[in-house]
């Protein structure tokens, strides 16, 4: 697929102040706040380096986590947990989601100082942006500290835009959201993409518009309701669809199976039946588990047993695909032309329930197929297992890549200038 949006190469960036939206939403250690993977920062480097090398002054920004932007929203969240809210507690919760550790890591990676602003569009950001020189980089504070961010408030978008001459988006992980910093700003500045968005969309677009066949899509994980909808569109493009992880039990229940305490999205049972019928009508193979590893608790040391799919005893829950299913799925992957994988096959964080995910990752590492991994946990599993460099592409955007595969418009891409 031809990428049809302008990129930083299509515009003159020299002497410009560039507002660069990155996806610095990095995973952090809960206790220490240390960044546990800098993959997303590394992924942003080519565009940052290009802009700095070509005489731009870069005003980088990103969200991090889900801070409560107002005391009221913080108090509400605390109340839900049965806790009292104090001003001090709120400030602490914000401090934990400061981008300062990202600035430090980015500075190490770039080998130059990264100036950190203490706000997003406040006096500190404005002053530092105004003083910024070509070749220098400033990082604004967490965009979600502003309550207008997730509401795509035009006033916030305008204030962000007012600091720059050009908007560059490279936050692939956030382009499926129409927020002030991912889409709104494009109303006030010429807007182009960076190299990461371009690469992601070229790879994903190629995989669905003109795939090397057979095209196999593997879906799993626990975010069932946000992922299951993609199947309808995948049935139009894939040759085989493989279902594992938590999603499998909704299909099993829809066919009258017993799923015990497994993850179940009852609202999606009718849809699951429709998908099974649609797959049959279209001649698409829809593979569902034939057996499952179930456990008497959600715990690493739970008792476990392998049972046939749909025969999970009361009180037990399916935490992995079973050995027969592993064989079936690995065979389906072996002769694929393209494989798109989103979502682990089981609770791979517990070694006793990691076999399905490990086997599928290994099978992918061995095929000659184009292999595309989406989803934070799936990518982490592949990395932990040491297969990362055996894959064709590991996407930095789980939600964005799924919405793209669903055929939905990505607001953070749609707002950019066409070529
Ligand atoms: P990704 O981040 O790759 O998009 P998700 O976030 O949807 O994937 O899901 C990842 C999580 O799914 C993992 O933490 C894993 O433990 C969990 N998971 C996988 N299979 C099951 C299951 N059968 N029951 C409960 N959780 C599961
Ligand atoms: Mg996840």
């Amino acid at each position: 697929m031809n990428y049809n949006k302008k990129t930083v190469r299509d515009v003159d960036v020299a002497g410009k102040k560039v507002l660069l939206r990155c996806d610095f939403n990095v995973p952090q250690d809960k206790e220490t706040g240390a960044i546990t993977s800098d993959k997303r920062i590394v992924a942003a480097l080519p565009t940052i380096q290009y802009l700095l090398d070509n005489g731009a002054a870069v005003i980088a920004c990103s969200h991090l986590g889900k801070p409560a932007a107002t005391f009221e929203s913080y108090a509400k969240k605390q109340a839900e947990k049965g806790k009292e809210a104090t001003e001090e507690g709120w400030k602490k919760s914000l401090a934990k989601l400061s981008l300062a550790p990202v600035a430090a890591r980015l500075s190490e990676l770039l080998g130059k100082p990264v100036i950190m602003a203490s706000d997003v569009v406040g006096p500190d950001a404005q002053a530092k942006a105004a003083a910024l020189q070509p070749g220098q980089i400033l990082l604004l504070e967490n965009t979600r500290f502003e309550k207008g961010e997730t509401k795509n408030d035009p006033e916030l978008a305008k204030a962000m835009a007012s600091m720059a001459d050009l908007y560059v988006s490279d936050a692939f992980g956030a382009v499926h959201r129409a927020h002030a910093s991912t889409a709104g700003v494009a109303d006030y500045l010429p807007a182009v993409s960076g190299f990461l968005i371009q690469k992601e969309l070229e790879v994903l677009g190629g995989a669905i518009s003109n795939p090397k066949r057979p095209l196999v899509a593997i879906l799993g994980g626990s975010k069932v309701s946000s992922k299951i909808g993609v199947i309808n569109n995948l049935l139009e493009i894939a040759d085989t669809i493989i279902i594992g992880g938590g999603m499998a039990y909704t299909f099993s229940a829809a066919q009258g199976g017993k799923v015990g305490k497994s993850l179940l999205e009852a609202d999606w049972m009718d849809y699951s039946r429709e998908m099974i019928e649609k797959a049959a009508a279209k001649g698409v193979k829809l593979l569902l588990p034939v057996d499952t590893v179930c456990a008497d608790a959600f715990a690493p040391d739970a008792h476990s047993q392998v049972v046939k799919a749909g025969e999970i005893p009361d009180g037990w829950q399916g935490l992995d695909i079973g050995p027969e299913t592993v064989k079936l799925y690995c065979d389906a992957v072996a002769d694929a032309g393209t494989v798109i994988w989103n979502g682990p096959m089981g609770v791979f964080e517990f070694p006793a329930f990691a076999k399905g995910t490990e086997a599928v990752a290994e099978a992918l590492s061995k095929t000659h197929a184009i292999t595309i991994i989406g989803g934070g946990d799936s990518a982490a599993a592949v990395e932990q297992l040491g297969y990362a460099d055996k894959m064709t592409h590991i996407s930095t955007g789980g939600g964005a890549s799924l919405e793209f595969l669903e055929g939905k418009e990505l607001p953070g891409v749609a707002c950019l200038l066409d070529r």
Side-chain angles (χ1 to χ4, degrees):
M1 191 187 74
N2 286 329
Y3 182 66
N4 64 358
K5 293 294 177 181
K6 283 196 175 162
T7 78
V8 283
R9 283 195 207 285
D10 298 314
V11 288
D12 186 13
V13 302
K16 299 260 170 70
K17 289 210 168 116
V18 175
L19 179 69
L20 174 66
R21 178 50 157 101
C22 298
D23 176 12
F24 290 150
N25 185 29
V26 292
Q28 287 174 288
D29 186 281
K30 275 201 189 77
E31 302 298 316
T32 64
I35 297 169
T36 53
S37 164
D38 65 1
K39 247 183 56 167
R40 286 182 160 165
I41 306 176
V42 171
L45 292 176
T47 300
I48 295 175
Q49 200 64 63
Y50 176 89
L51 291 170
L52 295 174
D53 289 349
N54 286 278
V58 176
I59 305 167
C61 67
S62 173
H63 77 282
L64 175 62
K66 291 183 177 146
T70 60
F71 181 73
E72 288 68 43
S73 59
Y74 173 75
K76 209 173 133 199
K77 276 195 210 168
Q78 289 296 100
E80 280 163 15
K81 293 187 228 157
K83 288 185 188 158
E84 217 179 308
T86 61
E87 193 82 14
E88 201 194 335
W90 175 47
K91 294 258 162 68
K92 262 194 197 154
S93 77
L94 292 183
K96 275 192 176 167
L97 293 174
S98 166
L99 281 172
V102 170
R105 184 70 191 120
L106 180 58
S107 170
E108 282 169 14
L109 289 165
L110 286 171
K112 64 155 56 192
V114 173
I115 303 162
M116 183 72 207
S118 62
D119 47 27
V120 183
V121 288
D124 193 52
Q126 301 278 354
K128 285 174 175 160
L132 203 66
Q133 295 301 310
Q136 290 187 328
I137 175 165
L138 165 70
L139 178 60
L140 304 180
E141 198 35 291
N142 189 343
T143 52
R144 288 194 189 166
F145 286 179
E146 287 289 334
K147 68 177 189 304
E149 165 69 338
T150 55
K151 295 186 185 121
N152 195 2
D153 174 16
E155 289 309 315
L156 176 62
K158 219 190 268 179
M160 294 190 82
S162 73
M163 294 187 276
D165 312 304
L166 174 70
Y167 172 66
V168 175
S169 178
D170 215 19
F172 183 69
V175 287
H176 56 309
R177 304 198 174 102
H179 291 174
S181 73
T182 59
V185 283
D187 287 342
Y188 306 100
L189 285 175
V192 303
S193 79
F195 302 127
L196 179 61
I197 288 188
Q198 177 179 20
K199 183 170 118 199
E200 291 271 7
L201 290 179
E202 279 174 355
V203 175
L204 288 168
I208 61 167
S209 64
N210 187 18
K212 223 175 111 198
R213 292 191 181 274
L215 170 58
V216 179
I218 309 175
L219 295 175
S222 58
K223 283 183 271 174
V224 179
S225 57
S226 69
K227 289 188 177 182
I228 199 165
V230 75
I231 297 172
N232 192 36
N233 202 42
L234 283 176
L235 282 169
E236 308 290 337
I237 48 186
D239 301 294
T240 302
I241 299 176
I242 292 176
I243 310 286
M247 197 182 284
Y249 308 102
T250 298
F251 276 88
S252 178
Q255 293 171 293
K258 286 176 61 190
V259 299
K261 281 164 74 181
S262 307
L263 265 189
L264 176 65
E265 293 280 351
D267 290 352
W268 289 89
M269 279 165 57
D270 285 340
Y271 169 89
S272 303
R273 273 187 290 269
E274 275 169 41
M275 292 304 106
I276 293 171
E277 282 162 23
K278 184 171 169 182
K282 289 188 137 317
V284 175
K285 279 189 222 155
L286 180 64
L287 301 184
L288 296 165
V290 292
D291 57 357
T292 186
V293 183
C294 60
D296 62 353
F298 188 88
D301 56 356
H303 295 114
S304 70
Q305 58 174 320
V306 177
V307 299
K308 282 195 186 141
E311 297 183 9
I312 297 176
D314 288 345
W316 290 60
Q317 53 192 300
L319 295 187
D320 197 7
I321 54 174
E324 290 295 319
T325 310
V326 165
K327 201 171 165 309
L328 181 74
Y329 289 5
C330 291
D331 286 348
V333 165
D335 65 348
T338 306
V339 185
I340 300 171
W341 182 19
N342 187 307
M345 296 292 95
V347 181
F348 71 98
E349 296 91 337
F350 303 160
F353 307 102
K355 290 196 187 73
T357 304
E358 285 170 13
V360 167
E362 188 186 344
L364 257 64
S365 76
K366 286 184 179 155
T367 69
H368 296 291
I370 294 167
T371 46
I372 301 170
I373 318 297
D377 292 290
S378 314
V382 165
E383 266 154 38
Q384 271 169 36
L385 293 164
Y387 295 130
D389 43 352
K390 296 266 166 46
M391 305 300 169
T392 311
H393 180 68
I394 298 183
S395 176
T396 55
S401 61
L402 266 183
E403 292 203 8
F404 180 76
L405 296 173
E406 256 175 271
K408 287 189 184 158
E409 184 180 79
L410 300 172
V413 177
C415 69
L416 306 177
L417 292 169
D418 290 326
R419 271 225 173 103

